[in-house]
Amino acid sequence: MEHTLHQFLFPAMMLFATGLLGAMFKRNLITIFMSIELMLCGAMLAFVAFASAYNDIDGAVFAFFILAIAAAEVAVGLAIITRLFKLENTVSTKNLNTLGD
Amino acid sequence: MMQEIIYFVFCGLCLGGALGVLIVPGYVNSAMSMLVSMLGVAGLLLLMEAYFLAFVVVMVYAGAVMVLFVFVVMFVGDRRDNTGFMKKVALVLLWVGLGIVLGLFEPEILKGGVSEALKSGADRAVPPAVSVAKNYGISLFTTFMLPFQVAGVLLLAAMVGIVAVAKRGTHKKRGGMESA
């Protein structure tokens, strides 16, 4: 196949950058979590791109670990969000300033 | 030619869905555009001939994680995102700027590390390593045995933690943090 490494690294980096923008600038927790998922997905894509380019399986195996981390992280995070919603009745980071000054 | 068209379709799905997470109003719409993005990622993995990983991504991300997100969105209630219009325009401009910068400088950044021979796939006599599912199993159970076990422990810990977080306060009413 005629695909090059750069063709897949660009979407990987853009996914990571989009996730970073979302995690920095969005105001509600659910979208922030989706952005973190996007960042993990971009990292996974980069891992597999390099594994494919070097014809080495190790990088692609790390995609499995990223999937496991992502699943654990999103499950715990969403449990915390539901708990927080029960307590505070909001998921916006504007209103969640109990630990602030 | 067909290859390029398919690549651009998947790339567009991937990046368009990611941008949708940033700017689309409403949580359900955000979740759906993330689903589109994940399907694009699976398509890109297919183009890399990592077939097994593509199906795992569809199952785990587009299946399990998305169901979790939609469940929580339904629990919280689908409300409008109150991000202002100007902020969205600023986000899109920042995104496009980042895209231009990354697209321009990415080959330069990588120039030192990746030799010319590695830019395209390996020789076609044998199937590439990432396309054979057997390789993943062998690697997981030899080289990555310890990380594999640690990942299992992590998932168990996450499960216990979720139960602990979700169960607390269901039988006795707690005061809530707003009194603090």
Side-chain angles (χ1 to χ4, degrees):
Chain A
M1 215 172 282
E2 307 309 317
H3 295 289
T4 64
L5 177 60
H6 297 296
Q7 275 184 311
F8 295 109
L9 277 184
F10 177 69
M13 294 199 304
M14 276 312 284
L15 268 184
F16 192 89
T18 315
L20 194 60
L21 280 183
M24 286 197 303
F25 292 115
K26 294 301 277 189
R27 276 286 172 212
N28 62 73
L29 285 175
I30 295 177
T31 322
I32 288 176
F33 261 85
M34 288 180 193
S35 304
I36 293 173
E37 290 299 305
L38 286 181
M39 286 166 77
L40 283 168
C41 219
M44 189 183 72
L45 200 57
F47 261 120
V48 183
F50 274 105
S52 173
Y54 282 80
N55 201 25
D56 188 346
I57 194 69
D58 287 357
V61 171
F62 261 88
F64 280 102
F65 296 126
I66 292 179
L67 278 173
I69 300 289
E73 172 256 341
V74 77
V76 174
L78 290 178
I80 292 174
I81 287 178
T82 54
R83 181 88 195 112
L84 206 55
F85 183 72
K86 271 195 233 166
L87 286 175
E88 299 269 334
N89 205 28
T90 179
V91 288
S92 170
T93 51
K94 255 181 205 157
N95 307 323
L96 298 172
N97 51 8
T98 316
L99 283 183
D101 47 2
Chain B
M1 189 57 206
M2 200 60 202
Q3 291 269 318
E4 271 73 43
I5 295 172
I6 293 172
Y7 167 76
F8 280 115
V9 166
F10 283 140
C11 211
L13 280 180
C14 178
L15 298 185
L19 184 61
V21 173
L22 285 189
I23 58 171
V24 158
Y27 298 160
V28 172
N29 295 344
S30 280
M32 288 307 128
S33 61
M34 188 181 130
L35 174 65
V36 169
S37 182
M38 294 309 163
L39 290 179
V41 167
L44 287 178
L45 289 176
L46 277 183
L47 282 183
M48 283 186 246
E49 300 180 65
Y51 307 112
F52 185 59
L53 270 181
F55 289 120
V56 169
V57 164
V58 169
M59 275 196 297
V60 174
Y61 266 123
V65 169
M66 193 53 57
V67 167
L68 261 179
F69 268 114
V70 173
F71 171 75
V72 172
V73 167
M74 293 306 168
F75 181 80
V76 169
D78 187 21
R79 48 191 76 182
R80 294 287 104 176
D81 190 3
N82 52 5
T83 310
F85 179 72
M86 285 318 288
K87 194 181 170 189
K88 276 181 186 171
V89 172
L91 265 180
V92 172
L93 286 179
L94 202 53
W95 188 77
V96 172
L98 264 175
I100 292 170
V101 168
L102 289 181
L104 284 182
F105 290 112
E106 183 251 316
E108 296 296 321
I109 295 166
L110 285 173
K111 197 169 265 176
V114 183
S115 66
E116 290 294 311
L118 291 168
K119 279 187 178 174
S120 59
D123 60 293
R124 307 299 303 160
V126 289
V130 290
S131 73
V132 186
K134 190 180 169 187
N135 290 339
Y136 294 93
I138 292 173
S139 190
L140 269 181
F141 280 94
T142 54
T143 320
F144 294 106
M145 193 67 226
L146 181 64
F148 183 67
Q149 302 284 349
V150 171
V153 173
L154 174 82
L155 286 173
L156 177 69
M159 198 176 74
V160 173
I162 293 157
V163 173
V165 167
K167 200 169 165 54
R168 179 183 304 163
T170 47
H171 35 81
K172 66 170 193 255
K173 209 68 178 159
R174 281 162 54 89
M177 281 189 237
E178 59 269 11
S179 59

